[in-house]
Amino acid sequence: MSEFIEKRRELSIKEYEFMKLLKLFTEDEIREIKSKRFTHENKVERRAKELADFIGYIAYECNLLQLLGERRKKLRVHDGRHSLESSIHHRIKMLYKRGMDRFPSEYRLWVHYLGHCERYSMLPEGSRTLDKMLNYHGDKPKAWIRAAEWEYGRVKNMERARHFMFRGLQRHPECMELYLSFLGLLVKEAVKLVKESEEGVEELLEREDSAFRKTLESVNLIYEHYKKREPSLEFYVKLLDALKHKSEVKSFAVVVLNDLKEQFATKEAMWSALAQLALDGSYLLDDGKDNSFPERLKNCVEIYDEAVETLSTKQMWTLYVDAVLKLNEDMSSHQKLRRKTLGSVFKKAFESGSLEEDKYVQYLKLMINVDQPQESLVTAVLTKAIESYPKSTKLWVLHLTFLAKQEAPTSEIEDIFKKALANCTEDLLSLWTVRFQYYHTRTDLPKALEQTFKDAIVQPPTIASHFQPLYLEFLVVTRNIDAARKKYLEIQKNCAPCLELHRKMSQLESIQAQPNVDHWRKCHENASHFFGTDNIDVWIDFLAFERDHGSPRNMQPVFERAKARLDADLVAGFVTEYELLKNPLI
């Protein structure tokens, strides 16, 4: 092993001499480069080789190559490229080859090397690598796709790309992605041939010897071959998406479109795909006279309207609504038209009785979150929504929110709140929260707000633990610290343990003009008593309190209690935190 390392070190000497001669690196930097290369060489030459070692070495050399380019640009030095950069390129190439020979099953390494070849325009080398890669990874359709795309996109060799695609299909005759990729490459080639020709599409089709006509025949042949396998809707949608703006192959695209309509007329996703083509302004569904956004949107809506008339299902309406909701994510143009269309579609979906729960929620939010909601429409939608989904907490929350916004009588809000609790089984905290927010804004009803607190703190832990700390803060603000202390003792005796309760009381004690250390310490005592077996932070907070505000001599007894109470697997972490507390890192 040492012989190989020494040989490579000798081969690197000229590199270091050029670096020094051209003053691209300082002597210290050159020594560091030598040292790091020596370390990497030892790793890749050891008996138990690991892929990470090769990748690490390659990454180092690539970074060095990039730094070298930056230094040349900065210092305006252009000499010695062949001796310096070429040598590094060769080293990287050999590292990749050694890595691929040692770990041929690592597909990502082959892909990385192809990326390297592309980055540095090593196209012949990349092409040679493809054959070796496919010997090991021919079981992966993506490997054949990558090989074909490399040959067509990088090397501009359509024949070799065809060769890889045909071989890939022989190995994977059922693979949809291979067929789509092959058709995509052929279509790109057909479009390129039209653009390069001085003749039009019709003239090229009439000539039997034209490359365009032969390519289009290949497209139809591959398509018909896959069609016998009864392709899925997804295949047609993806293929049409690739064809939607390539009018040069309109004759083929029309065939695909007609097949889609014929085979999947009862599938909601088919109608959605047609509507999307219209919205994109595809030549397949547009006469070409007006390709403005309003016209495209109009065509899209017309297709969806036909769709929900043909298939009046909740899924069809959901796709319709989702499409216009997505349109409203971009308000850079035609804002009023987008909002108007959204409102219209939601209304039609509501009237059809086909809205899903989440769509009811979105519709109601749009209507409620405006300056002047249409009360009658909102009420009608709320009534229908809750009838359809009586257990939906989100719908009941929106009902309460709307009533609060409309300044409905308190009795009506309380009535709806009780009905919501009776119907809902999940996320009840959001119901309590909206009730709390209502009374919090009603400064004329302080007793009602306090009653909300009293009702909430005796609820199950999910609700109680949220409101208990807030109640203490409320008492300090509206009365005094003594009232909060009294309630704190009462809650911690009679209710389920709540860590935030103790933390909030500790925080309230800390902000008093003259903090009472005994009361403050009691908060930490209670927190560590209830939560000290599985929570390191309660002990660290306790220790920090004694250090900064209590009595530092109490720290050691608290530390010993913590070690005795904590679960065994937490003790080591606690001791580390304690040492950092005593000796913070600067």
Side-chain angles (χ1 to χ4, degrees):
M1 181 180 77
S2 58
E3 293 177 4
F4 290 114
I5 295 174
E6 190 59 36
K7 184 177 180 180
R8 293 193 185 102
R9 288 180 69 182
E10 290 175 3
L11 291 173
S12 301
I13 292 174
K14 284 187 178 181
E15 285 183 44
Y16 305 134
E17 289 175 351
F18 267 105
M19 289 179 183
K20 185 176 180 181
L21 178 66
L22 299 174
K23 297 181 180 180
L24 291 168
F25 294 95
T26 65
E27 291 191 6
D28 287 341
E29 287 175 327
I30 293 171
R31 276 194 293 272
E32 185 180 358
I33 292 170
K34 289 179 181 178
S35 174
K36 288 190 175 181
R37 277 182 173 170
F38 182 71
T39 300
H40 283 300
E41 284 287 352
N42 277 306
K43 287 182 179 180
V44 297
E45 285 294 349
R46 61 189 174 187
R47 181 171 297 177
K49 294 179 173 59
E50 295 183 8
L51 178 62
D53 296 331
F54 284 92
I55 292 175
Y57 196 176
I58 290 167
Y60 175 75
E61 291 295 330
C62 287
N63 289 335
L64 181 61
L65 197 60
Q66 183 178 348
L67 178 60
L68 187 57
E70 292 171 359
R71 291 285 175 90
R72 282 189 180 279
K73 185 177 180 180
K74 181 179 179 181
L75 301 173
R76 299 180 181 180
V77 175
H78 306 292
D79 298 332
R81 286 184 182 276
H82 178 75
S83 298
L84 199 49
E85 274 85 344
S86 295
S87 178
I88 296 174
H89 275 300
H90 179 72
R91 181 179 293 104
I92 293 171
K93 175 182 171 181
M94 296 312 298
L95 283 169
Y96 268 118
K97 286 186 175 297
R98 289 165 63 193
M100 291 184 292
D101 287 342
R102 181 71 180 183
F103 306 97
S105 61
E106 288 289 346
Y107 178 66
R108 56 181 174 161
L109 189 58
W110 296 90
V111 172
H112 285 170
Y113 185 49
L114 286 174
H116 176 76
C117 291
E118 180 181 0
R119 191 175 304 113
Y120 292 101
S121 301
M122 299 160 55
L123 302 184
E125 176 61 29
S127 293
R128 286 192 292 271
T129 302
L130 292 175
D131 292 304
K132 294 180 182 178
M133 179 184 78
L134 292 171
N135 286 337
Y136 292 104
H137 299 284
D139 60 322
K140 299 178 179 67
K142 61 183 178 181
W144 295 102
I145 292 172
R146 181 174 287 275
E149 288 179 346
W150 170 276
E151 289 299 330
Y152 183 75
R154 310 290 182 273
V155 187
K156 311 301 181 186
N157 188 334
M158 186 61 192
E159 290 309 310
R160 193 162 152 83
R162 282 174 186 265
H163 169 72
F164 282 133
M165 277 300 179
F166 278 123
R167 284 181 59 195
L169 287 174
Q170 287 174 348
R171 289 283 299 270
H172 308 279
E174 304 294 332
C175 181
M176 179 185 75
E177 294 301 331
L178 268 171
Y179 278 97
L180 285 171
S181 183
F182 197 0
L183 289 169
L185 290 181
L186 290 170
V187 167
K188 286 180 182 177
E189 178 68 6
V191 171
K192 186 189 81 169
L193 290 170
V194 172
K195 290 180 177 178
E196 291 176 350
S197 174
E198 296 179 357
E199 299 177 89
V201 172
E202 297 301 325
E203 290 82 357
L204 290 171
L205 284 173
E206 289 175 1
R207 284 202 296 108
E208 292 187 7
D209 63 336
S210 77
F212 172 74
R213 176 171 172 167
K214 291 178 180 178
T215 302
L216 205 55
E217 287 173 354
S218 296
V219 170
N220 282 286
L221 185 65
I222 298 297
Y223 173 69
E224 291 297 331
H225 187 267
Y226 188 61
K227 216 170 80 168
K228 294 176 183 177
R229 302 178 184 278
E230 299 182 0
S232 64
L233 172 60
E234 181 187 6
F235 170 78
Y236 286 99
V237 171
K238 286 186 174 181
L239 182 54
L240 281 172
D241 188 58
L243 298 171
K244 64 185 177 184
H245 294 309
K246 295 180 171 59
S247 58
E248 295 86 352
V249 292
K250 183 175 181 178
S251 58
F252 170 64
V254 168
V255 171
V256 177
L257 181 64
N258 290 336
D259 287 342
L260 172 71
K261 290 179 179 179
E262 181 182 336
Q263 296 184 42
F264 300 99
T266 59
K267 298 293 184 181
E268 291 86 352
M270 188 281 291
W271 290 97
S272 189
L274 291 183
Q276 191 59 52
L277 285 173
L279 187 61
D280 290 339
S282 172
Y283 63 90
L284 288 165
L285 296 174
D286 184 58
D287 57 14
K289 294 178 182 178
D290 184 357
N291 201 33
S292 65
F293 176 77
E295 184 65 21
R296 287 186 280 118
L297 179 57
K298 176 189 169 187
N299 295 337
C300 172
V301 168
E302 286 177 354
I303 291 175
Y304 269 121
D305 284 340
E306 182 184 351
V308 294
E309 187 175 333
T310 306
L311 294 173
S312 188
T313 63
K314 284 188 176 181
Q315 185 184 352
M316 191 69 255
W317 278 105
T318 297
L319 289 171
Y320 193 178
V321 171
D322 281 339
V324 289
L325 279 170
K326 187 175 181 180
L327 278 174
N328 278 263
E329 291 175 2
D330 175 15
M331 301 301 283
S332 58
S333 66
H334 303 91
Q335 295 181 15
K336 290 184 179 179
L337 177 60
R338 292 171 193 263
R339 301 298 281 184
K340 183 180 178 181
T341 303
L342 178 59
S344 173
V345 172
F346 259 126
K347 189 174 182 181
K348 287 188 288 189
F350 164 65
E351 290 172 348
S352 74
S354 301
L355 281 176
E356 299 278 5
E357 178 189 345
D358 64 320
K359 293 298 173 281
Y360 268 122
V361 171
Q362 289 172 303
Y363 188 24
L364 286 164
K365 284 181 177 179
L366 286 170
M367 290 192 295
I368 292 172
N369 296 326
V370 295
D371 293 335
Q372 295 181 333
Q374 299 179 42
E375 186 172 351
S376 59
L377 180 57
V378 175
T379 302
V381 175
L382 275 168
T383 302
K384 181 66 176 178
I386 290 174
E387 282 179 3
S388 302
Y389 304 98
K391 294 183 179 181
S392 171
T393 306
K394 291 179 180 178
L395 290 173
W396 285 104
V397 165
L398 287 169
H399 198 168
L400 289 168
T401 302
F402 176 65
L403 291 175
K405 189 167 185 175
Q406 297 301 102
E407 299 181 354
T410 302
S411 58
E412 186 177 356
I413 288 178
E414 287 296 327
D415 181 54
I416 295 300
F417 177 72
K418 290 175 183 176
K419 287 181 180 178
L421 289 180
N423 281 279
C424 300
T425 56
E426 297 180 355
D427 193 22
L428 299 183
L429 177 59
S430 59
L431 292 170
W432 283 91
T433 301
V434 74
R435 183 193 186 202
F436 164 76
Q437 289 171 344
Y438 169 71
Y439 286 119
H440 188 65
T441 59
R442 292 292 301 270
T443 54
D444 57 321
L445 298 172
K447 292 184 179 179
L449 179 58
E450 183 158 9
Q451 187 59 50
T452 298
F453 276 124
K454 289 179 179 179
D455 294 340
I457 64 174
V458 295
Q459 297 301 312
T462 303
I463 298 165
S465 61
H466 177 79
F467 285 98
Q468 288 171 3
L470 295 176
Y471 190 21
L472 295 182
E473 195 166 33
F474 169 80
L475 290 172
V476 169
V477 173
T478 59
R479 297 181 196 174
N480 52 49
I481 188 66
D482 291 327
R485 286 169 181 164
K486 182 179 178 181
K487 182 56 65 175
Y488 167 68
L489 293 174
E490 181 184 320
I491 292 173
Q492 67 106 1
K493 285 180 181 179
N494 301 324
C495 299
C498 170
L499 179 56
E500 288 306 314
L501 175 75
H502 306 298
R503 285 178 169 164
K504 174 57 70 173
M505 194 66 228
S506 172
Q507 187 255 333
L508 293 172
E509 293 287 0
S510 72
I511 61 174
Q512 299 306 303
Q514 294 182 336
N516 186 307
V517 173
D518 292 334
H519 283 294
W520 193 350
R521 180 179 289 114
K522 189 65 178 175
C523 300
H524 290 289
E525 289 281 4
N526 289 332
S528 60
H529 173 74
F530 288 107
F531 301 95
T533 58
D534 58 2
N535 191 314
I536 292 175
D537 291 339
V538 297
W539 293 106
I540 296 298
D541 292 343
F542 196 170
L543 289 161
F545 159 75
E546 293 293 359
R547 182 194 64 186
D548 301 332
H549 307 285
S551 176
R553 64 187 176 194
N554 289 341
M555 291 180 69
Q556 189 61 33
V558 172
F559 173 68
E560 296 299 333
R561 282 168 53 197
K563 288 199 298 181
R565 286 285 312 284
L566 280 167
D567 292 337
D569 57 341
L570 297 177
V571 172
F574 166 69
V575 171
T576 300
E577 292 289 329
Y578 177 61
E579 290 300 323
L580 289 172
L581 182 71
K582 289 197 305 179
N583 305 292
L585 296 175
I586 298 176

